[in-house]
């Protein structure tokens, strides 16, 4: 069997935590920032965890499953 290929887009966007959860960044933080409030931009800075509904598909893209 050939090796599984990691999805290149997914490996740039997701990271694993020490406990095996998958971290993600928030959207809407890359451009057109002048019309967004400081509070909104500050809250988008923090990383979040992916929803449990998407765990299987993201793990498959990262070849973790």
């Amino acid at each position: 069997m050939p090796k599984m290929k990691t999805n290149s887009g997914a490996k740039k966007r997701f990271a694993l935590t020490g406990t095996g959860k998958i971290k993600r960044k928030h959207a809407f933080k890359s451009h057109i920032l002048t019309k967004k409030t400081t509070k909104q931009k500050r809250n988008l800075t923090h990383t979040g965890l992916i929803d449990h509904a998407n765990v299987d598909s993201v793990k498959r893209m990262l070849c973790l499953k």
Side-chain angles (χ1 to χ4, degrees):
M1 281 295 288
K3 292 181 180 178
M4 292 287 291
K5 282 197 173 182
T6 302
N7 183 301
S8 295
K11 73 181 174 189
K12 294 170 191 172
R13 287 171 171 81
F14 301 111
L16 254 92
T17 63
T19 56
K21 295 176 185 170
I22 302 171
K23 289 193 299 187
R24 66 172 178 85
K25 292 188 175 120
H26 283 99
F28 307 110
K29 186 76 190 338
S30 58
H31 61 97
I32 316 176
L33 297 172
T34 51
K35 63 176 75 169
K36 293 172 185 144
T37 64
T38 308
K39 181 180 179 180
Q40 185 180 2
K41 290 182 280 193
R42 185 174 61 244
N43 289 334
L44 290 172
T45 300
H46 309 296
T47 57
L49 298 174
I50 64 168
D51 194 67
H52 66 90
N54 302 319
V55 170
D56 288 337
S57 59
V58 173
K59 280 189 174 181
R60 199 174 303 117
M61 286 191 277
L62 296 173
C63 296
L64 299 172
K65 197 170 186 182

